[in-house]
Structure formats: C-alpha cells, structure tokens
Amino acid sequence: MAPSAAWPMADIITSSRSWIMSQRDMIRQGGRVILPHSVLQNDLLLAAIAALLVSVVAIPLVRHVRRTPLEPTKTKKDDSKSKQRAFGHWPPSDFKFPTPEPYPDWSVADTKPLPYRPFRYGPKYNVTMGLRSTPHTDWIELDNHFPRFHADKAQRILERGSRCCQTHPEAYPAAIELLEDLTDYLPARYPTLYRRTAVGLDNLWSGESFNIVERPLAEDPMQICARLVQDDLAIMIERADGVYYLLAGAILLPGFWRLEDKYQMPLSEIHTSGNVPQFREKLERGMLNLFKRLKPEEMVARNNYFFQVDDELAWSSSIGSEDSTEVGWDTAEIGTVVDKFYFRSERQTLRRLPKTGGVVFTIRTYFHPVTEIAEEDYVPGRLASAVRSWGDDVSRYKGKERYQGALLAYLDQKHEAQVKNGLDLTKEDEVKGYPY
C-alpha cells in the first residue's frame, strides 16, 4: 500500500496488536527468559508502536488534506460588492441639508469679503488639492461686493446667455435640487437679503422674485442659481461608465476659462485640457477617489490664487478676447504698472446632492488690487516668497513671465518698509493662519 494511503485507525491498532503477540509467542518457543515488565506490560509497548504507526501513516494524510482547496467563504466584503450600486445610478440619501444660523450682523453695505490669502512662504511650492472639511453652514459666502457681482452676472447673462449657462437633460434633476437647496439656505443664512416665499424667494435688495415651482421655469435653473449668489456653479454627473462629466454650469465670472470649452467633458480632461500642473502625477488619483467617496454629509473646501494685469472680473481681457480661438498667457500683454495688477483668489466648495448624487462645485472669486492687499501686515513678504517658489510648470500656468518683474519689485519694497517700521516677523503665526 502506498505510504500516503489513508488507513482506518481500527486496522492500525489491530495490526499492531497481532504483531506484538506473534513476537511474544516466538520468544516463549525459543525458551528464553523475558523480564516480566518487558513483555507482560505489552500494553505500553502496544501504545508506543501504535503511536509510531499513526505518525508514519497520518503525516502524509495531513499533507494530503492540506492540499485540498477549501470551499470559498463569503465575507462581508464580498457581500458589499454584490450590493454596490450601478454606475450612473444614485439611490437617494436620507440626509437633509442642515438649516444654517443667520450670518452674524450681515449687511449688503458693510460686510467685507473674508480676507483669503492662500499662499505660503517658499522655497518650495507644493502641488496639492489642499482640501479641508468645512461645515454646511458656511456653504455660500456673500458680502458687500454682492452688488457688483450681481450686476456683472446680469450683464453677462444678457450678452452671452447659454454660452455661460447650460444644463444638460441628464443633469436637470440635479440643477433643480441645487436651486431648491439655495432657496432654503439663503433666506436662513442671509435673512436681510432674502425672504422665503410660498413659491421660491425674494431678493430684498434688488426687488427680484424667483418662482422655482412653476414649470417650465422662467429660465435655465443654473441661470437662476447664478443670480442668487456671487459664486460660479458647476455640477458633475456620473454616467454609466463610472466617469463624472460636467453637465451643468453657470460660469459667468471665470476670468480665464469658458464653459463652452469644457461642457460635457469628463473630470480628468477638464484639467488636462487646461494644462493643470502635475495633474496626472499628483492630483488625478486623489480627485477621482474624492468623487467616488464623497458623501452628502460631507463638504470640503479649497482655495487658490492668480494674478491679472487688468481689473475685469468676468473675463481677463489682457490674455485676449473671450471669443478668440486660442487664449492664454502666451497671448497676454506684459504688465508693468502695478496699479493695474489684481489679486484673484477662488474659494471652491464641493458637496454631493443627496437626492440625485450630483457633485456641486461652487467657485467664489475674491478680487482685489494688489496695492490693497500689500498694505496688510506680512502679506507682501509672504506673497513675494510664494511667487518665487513656483516651479517652471506652475509659473507658465499662472503667467508669471508677464508680470513678475514689476510685481516682485513692488512687493519687496513694501515688505522692506514694513520691517523697517518695526513689523515683527516672528509673530506672524500668532496673527495669521492659512488660508488667511
């Protein structure tokens, strides 16, 4: 029999006992004297031999059993995979957007823009998404620049309309959901500017009334949303291929890009087509994961900054006509007059709409003359250091070549004056923290 055969345990014991008995009979027949404990206590010997036989036979058996594949066991992970939603389909969430507290002492005349200064000292400029969690209460930020933004948007809608505001049929439910959220949020957060009505809301400053329940709506839902806030707005929708596409937008004050160039583009292509520095290497994976995992209960924010060599909020004409085929810093004029330089910073938020699953971008621009922010303590020195820390790719993207000479000379001069007047550089961390 082969060594690896599986012998029944009873056969092993029986064979062992027969062999021992035969050996005892042979000894007696030979007339030899055997010490009693060597033979008469054969049960101990029997057990030892049986154990030896078991070990010899059973070891190959155990090895044989271990080679047999185990039956697959269903785990919670396997179960969750089987229950994963289909791409392009979002089961409605029970999450309800929390009603915000009124903004303290808000006034369309007196509430100043928040002083976002989202730049850091060099020598190294790190390319990151720079996301931070933010409460739903702070979703939309309005201030005393609202009248200018409101007027500029109204003019842009009149002149360019659907070139700046579009809603794809696939994104229409998400655009309606966004409009409903704003209609609930704004009167609660800014009660001196907006009043809730049975059919929508009223703007108490402009006298406008918005009906959000009539069908058809008076205008594109994204266009109505744009009139309510200072932000530009975009909605990304996941399709059946699992990719998010820009399918709704009200991009009226972008400065450097056009909705018509990006409309219906997938998320990654929006950034690669704009030559965003190090997007593939450092940003893409994290961004795609964010869109997959973002929950309605979460909201994140980030800030960025640029420079303009003109004072036009909606479109920076210094880089070329908005209607040109090719526009960018390569076609921009060289800026030499600092009084015309503007600091442009964006505060962006991302949140998922609970009913439709669309991901909403809000893009709020803060727009100030460089000569204004350079009067603030620590700002000129920190800003000059940040600009000098840009790598070649970031410098091209931000158009540094077109303004660096005049800008850096001015900032250095203002920094030196602050230090000369007694500014203690060691105290900066005590009075300012990112992104301010």
Side-chain angles (χ1 to χ4, degrees), residues 100-116 136-150 153 182-183 185-195 201-206 208 210 224-233 253 347 349 362-366:
E101 293 292 324
Y103 192 103
D105 302 318
W106 191 89
S107 164
V108 72
D110 300 323
T111 300
K112 295 181 180 180
L114 293 175
Y116 289 113
H136 286 78
T137 296
D138 297 335
W139 180 32
I140 300 296
E141 296 178 350
L142 304 180
D143 51 53
N144 62 4
H145 286 195
F146 181 87
R148 176 187 176 176
F149 280 65
H150 185 272
K153 285 188 172 189
L182 288 171
T183 300
Y185 174 91
L186 292 170
R189 185 63 167 163
Y190 302 101
T192 60
L193 181 63
Y194 285 107
R195 178 178 57 210
L201 73 170
D202 294 338
N203 184 320
L204 302 175
W205 169 79
S206 69
E208 297 167 293
F210 300 93
I224 299 176
C225 291
R227 294 184 187 274
L228 300 176
V229 296
Q230 291 172 244
D231 308 63
D232 280 348
L233 304 158
L253 310 174
R347 182 234 186 202
T349 70
T362 67
I363 309 164
R364 168 62 205 279
T365 297
Y366 292 81

Side-chain angles (χ1 to χ4, degrees), residues 118-126 305-308 341-343 370 373 379-396 398-409 411-412:
F119 42 84
R120 305 179 189 273
Y121 284 102
K124 185 176 182 181
Y125 180 89
N126 294 310
Y305 69 98
F306 303 90
F307 293 96
Q308 283 183 217
F341 289 6
Y342 270 70
F343 176 77
V370 168
I373 68 167
V379 164
R382 178 156 53 98
L383 184 54
S385 178
V387 172
R388 288 188 170 100
S389 74
W390 298 348
D392 291 342
D393 52 353
V394 175
S395 295
R396 285 191 298 272
K398 293 178 180 282
K400 178 179 175 181
E401 184 183 72
R402 301 295 173 173
Y403 50 75
Q404 64 174 331
L407 175 67
L408 291 175
L411 293 176
D412 288 344

Side-chain angles (χ1 to χ4, degrees), residues 20-216:
I20 292 172
M21 296 299 291
S22 65
Q23 294 302 308
R24 184 178 63 183
D25 292 342
M26 290 175 63
I27 293 172
R28 285 175 176 172
Q29 291 172 5
R32 295 181 182 179
V33 179
I34 306 295
L35 292 177
H37 70 270
S38 300
V39 174
L40 296 178
Q41 296 180 358
N42 56 39
D43 286 342
L44 182 60
L45 179 62
L46 174 63
I49 294 174
L52 177 62
L53 290 171
V54 168
S55 66
V56 170
V57 175
I59 289 173
L61 176 62
V62 171
R63 289 177 181 170
H64 176 71
V65 171
R66 286 178 178 172
R67 290 194 190 103
T68 303
L70 298 174
E71 287 293 325
T73 301
K74 289 185 177 181
T75 64
K76 291 183 179 181
K77 185 175 182 181
D78 294 329
D79 291 340
S80 66
K81 283 185 177 180
S82 66
K83 297 178 182 179
Q84 280 185 346
R85 64 179 181 84
F87 289 139
H89 174 71
W90 179 261
S93 166
D94 294 332
F95 174 76
K96 303 295 183 184
F97 196 103
T99 301
E101 293 292 324
Y103 192 103
D105 302 318
W106 191 89
S107 164
V108 72
D110 300 323
T111 300
K112 295 181 180 180
L114 293 175
Y116 289 113
R117 307 293 181 258
F119 42 84
R120 305 179 189 273
Y121 284 102
K124 185 176 182 181
Y125 180 89
N126 294 310
V127 176
T128 67
M129 286 196 291
L131 298 175
R132 62 186 184 278
S133 296
T134 192
H136 286 78
T137 296
D138 297 335
W139 180 32
I140 300 296
E141 296 178 350
L142 304 180
D143 51 53
N144 62 4
H145 286 195
F146 181 87
R148 176 187 176 176
F149 280 65
H150 185 272
D152 283 357
K153 285 188 172 189
Q155 188 65 29
R156 296 274 289 172
I157 290 172
L158 183 64
E159 294 176 351
R160 303 185 74 84
S162 62
R163 300 181 70 179
C164 296
C165 300
Q166 293 192 53
T167 302
H168 191 280
E170 292 176 47
Y172 196 86
I176 293 296
E177 185 178 4
L178 172 60
L179 179 57
E180 292 171 347
D181 280 357
L182 288 171
T183 300
D184 289 336
Y185 174 91
L186 292 170
R189 185 63 167 163
Y190 302 101
T192 60
L193 181 63
Y194 285 107
R195 178 178 57 210
R196 191 72 163 88
T197 68
V199 297
L201 73 170
D202 294 338
N203 184 320
L204 302 175
W205 169 79
S206 69
E208 297 167 293
S209 293
F210 300 93
N211 185 328
I212 72 163
V213 299
E214 64 181 353
R215 295 294 184 273

